Amino acid sequence: MKMLTRFAIIGLSLSLLSGCGLWSKTNEREPAPLVDFVQERSVNVKWSVDSGVGFGDIYHQSTPAVTETGVYIADAVGRVSSYAVTNGRLQWAQTLDAPISASAGAGFGLVTVALESGELVALKADTGEELWRVQLTSEVLAQPQINAEKVVVQTVSYTH
């Protein structure tokens, strides 16, 4: 009986290992070769700035907020900056003394940023002066969106 139990355990172990791909060959596909093309347009850089401390690999889709009056950039350590669209000149910078969790959102005279603590902070777009703060139910990881009546954020708990 012990011999039958051993064979059963060995057989079960081998069948489980085969499910893990031990004896299967790889099905990875090679990347497609790059296609040659003729460049039709070129980029002419008008200005560039150091945007501060980046959000790292986690927030790789961080983008500046751009309006007709400014380019608004928030960095990971709490600095929000406004640059002139035409020449990149610094218009104002505000330090919020708290880490920021997402890119700045801008529009309709507001610049909004979300802090890691779950607070949403609104600044005046022309001066950087803080207008208000509100505590949300959880952290915001996406850029706030603004229209004429509302500021919309997506929280980790999906409640706002």
Side-chain angles (χ1 to χ4, degrees), residues 51-55 62-65 72-81 96 100 102-105 111-114:
S51 61
V53 179
F55 291 100
S62 178
T63 59
Y72 305 94
I73 300 172
D75 75 7
V77 295
R79 185 171 192 248
V80 183
S81 305
L96 299 176
I100 294 175
S103 301
V111 176
T112 58
V113 292

Coordinates of all heavy atoms in Angstrom, one line a residue, residues 51-55 62-65 72-81 96 100 102-105 111-114:
S51 N 12.0 70.4 -14.9 CA 10.6 70.3 -14.2 C 10.7 69.8 -12.8 O 9.6 69.6 -12.2 CB 9.7 69.4 -15.1 OG 10.2 68.1 -15.1
G52 N 11.8 69.7 -12.2 CA 11.9 69.3 -10.8 C 12.0 67.8 -10.6 O 12.5 67.1 -11.4
V53 N 11.6 67.4 -9.4 CA 11.8 66.0 -9.0 C 10.7 65.2 -9.6 O 9.5 65.4 -9.4 CB 11.7 65.9 -7.5 CG1 11.9 64.4 -7.1 CG2 12.8 66.7 -6.8
G54 N 11.1 64.2 -10.5 CA 10.1 63.4 -11.2 C 9.3 62.4 -10.2 O 9.7 62.2 -9.1
F55 N 8.3 61.8 -10.8 CA 7.4 60.9 -10.0 C 8.0 59.5 -10.1 O 7.4 58.6 -9.5 CB 6.0 60.9 -10.5 CG 5.3 62.2 -10.2 CD1 5.2 63.2 -11.2 CD2 4.8 62.4 -8.9 CE1 4.5 64.4 -10.9 CE2 4.1 63.6 -8.6 CZ 4.0 64.6 -9.6
S62 N 3.0 61.0 -16.3 CA 2.8 62.4 -15.8 C 3.0 63.4 -16.9 O 4.0 63.3 -17.6 CB 3.8 62.6 -14.6 OG 3.8 63.9 -14.2
T63 N 2.1 64.3 -17.0 CA 2.2 65.3 -18.1 C 1.9 66.7 -17.5 O 1.2 66.9 -16.5 CB 1.2 65.1 -19.2 OG1 -0.1 65.1 -18.6 CG2 1.4 63.7 -19.9
P64 N 2.5 67.8 -18.1 CA 2.2 69.1 -17.6 C 0.8 69.5 -18.1 O 0.2 69.0 -19.0 CB 3.2 70.0 -18.3 CG 3.7 69.2 -19.5 CD 3.5 67.7 -19.1
A65 N 0.2 70.4 -17.4 CA -1.1 71.0 -17.8 C -0.8 72.2 -18.6 O 0.0 73.1 -18.2 CB -2.0 71.3 -16.5
Y72 N 1.8 74.3 -16.6 CA 1.8 74.1 -15.2 C 2.4 72.8 -14.9 O 1.9 71.7 -15.4 CB 0.4 74.3 -14.6 CG -0.2 75.6 -15.0 CD1 -1.0 75.8 -16.1 CD2 0.1 76.8 -14.2 CE1 -1.5 77.0 -16.5 CE2 -0.4 78.0 -14.6 CZ -1.2 78.1 -15.7 OH -1.7 79.3 -16.1
I73 N 3.4 72.7 -14.0 CA 4.1 71.5 -13.7 C 4.2 71.3 -12.2 O 4.5 72.2 -11.5 CB 5.5 71.5 -14.3 CG1 5.5 71.7 -15.8 CG2 6.3 70.2 -13.9 CD1 6.8 71.9 -16.5
A74 N 3.8 70.1 -11.8 CA 3.9 69.7 -10.4 C 5.0 68.7 -10.3 O 5.1 67.8 -11.1 CB 2.6 69.2 -9.8
D75 N 5.9 68.8 -9.2 CA 6.9 67.7 -9.1 C 6.5 66.9 -7.8 O 5.6 67.3 -7.0 CB 8.3 68.3 -9.0 CG 8.7 69.0 -7.8 OD1 7.9 69.0 -6.8 OD2 9.8 69.6 -7.8
A76 N 7.2 65.8 -7.6 CA 6.9 64.9 -6.6 C 7.1 65.4 -5.2 O 6.4 64.9 -4.2 CB 7.8 63.6 -6.8
V77 N 7.9 66.4 -5.0 CA 8.2 66.9 -3.6 C 7.3 68.1 -3.2 O 7.4 68.6 -2.1 CB 9.7 67.2 -3.4 CG1 10.5 66.0 -3.5 CG2 10.1 68.3 -4.3
G78 N 6.4 68.5 -4.1 CA 5.4 69.6 -3.7 C 5.6 70.9 -4.3 O 5.0 71.9 -3.9
R79 N 6.4 71.0 -5.3 CA 6.6 72.3 -6.0 C 5.7 72.4 -7.3 O 5.7 71.4 -8.1 CB 8.0 72.5 -6.5 CG 8.3 73.9 -7.1 CD 9.8 74.1 -7.3 NE 10.1 75.5 -7.6 CZ 10.6 75.9 -8.8 NH1 10.8 75.0 -9.7 NH2 10.8 77.1 -9.0
V80 N 4.9 73.4 -7.4 CA 4.1 73.7 -8.5 C 4.6 74.9 -9.2 O 4.8 75.9 -8.6 CB 2.6 73.9 -8.1 CG1 1.7 74.0 -9.4 CG2 2.1 72.7 -7.3
S81 N 4.8 74.9 -10.5 CA 5.4 76.0 -11.3 C 4.6 76.3 -12.5 O 4.0 75.5 -13.1 CB 6.8 75.7 -11.7 OG 7.6 75.3 -10.6
L96 N 4.2 73.5 -1.7 CA 3.1 73.1 -0.9 C 3.6 72.4 0.4 O 2.7 72.0 1.2 CB 2.1 72.3 -1.7 CG 1.5 73.0 -2.9 CD1 0.6 72.1 -3.7 CD2 0.7 74.2 -2.4
I100 N 3.4 65.5 -3.8 CA 2.3 65.5 -4.7 C 2.2 64.1 -5.4 O 3.2 63.5 -5.7 CB 2.5 66.6 -5.8 CG1 2.4 68.0 -5.1 CG2 1.5 66.5 -6.9 CD1 2.7 69.1 -6.0
A102 N 0.1 63.3 -8.2 CA -0.3 63.3 -9.6 C 0.0 64.6 -10.3 O 0.3 65.6 -9.6 CB -1.8 63.0 -9.7
S103 N 0.0 64.6 -11.6 CA 0.3 65.8 -12.4 C -0.7 66.9 -12.0 O -1.8 66.7 -11.6 CB 0.1 65.5 -13.9 OG 1.0 64.5 -14.3
A104 N -0.4 68.2 -12.3 CA -1.3 69.3 -12.1 C -2.3 69.3 -13.2 O -2.1 68.9 -14.3 CB -0.5 70.6 -12.2
G105 N -3.5 69.8 -12.8 CA -4.6 70.0 -13.8 C -4.8 71.5 -13.8 O -4.6 72.2 -12.8
V111 N -5.4 76.0 -11.0 CA -4.4 75.0 -11.2 C -4.7 74.1 -9.9 O -4.7 74.6 -8.8 CB -3.0 75.5 -11.1 CG1 -2.0 74.3 -11.2 CG2 -2.7 76.4 -12.3
T112 N -4.9 72.8 -10.2 CA -5.2 71.9 -9.0 C -4.1 70.8 -9.0 O -3.7 70.3 -10.0 CB -6.6 71.2 -9.2 OG1 -6.7 70.6 -10.4 CG2 -7.7 72.3 -9.1
V113 N -3.8 70.4 -7.8 CA -2.8 69.3 -7.5 C -3.3 68.5 -6.4 O -4.0 69.0 -5.5 CB -1.4 69.8 -7.2 CG1 -0.8 70.5 -8.4 CG2 -1.4 70.7 -6.1
A114 N -3.0 67.2 -6.5 CA -3.4 66.3 -5.4 C -2.2 65.9 -4.6 O -1.2 65.5 -5.2 CB -4.1 65.0 -6.0

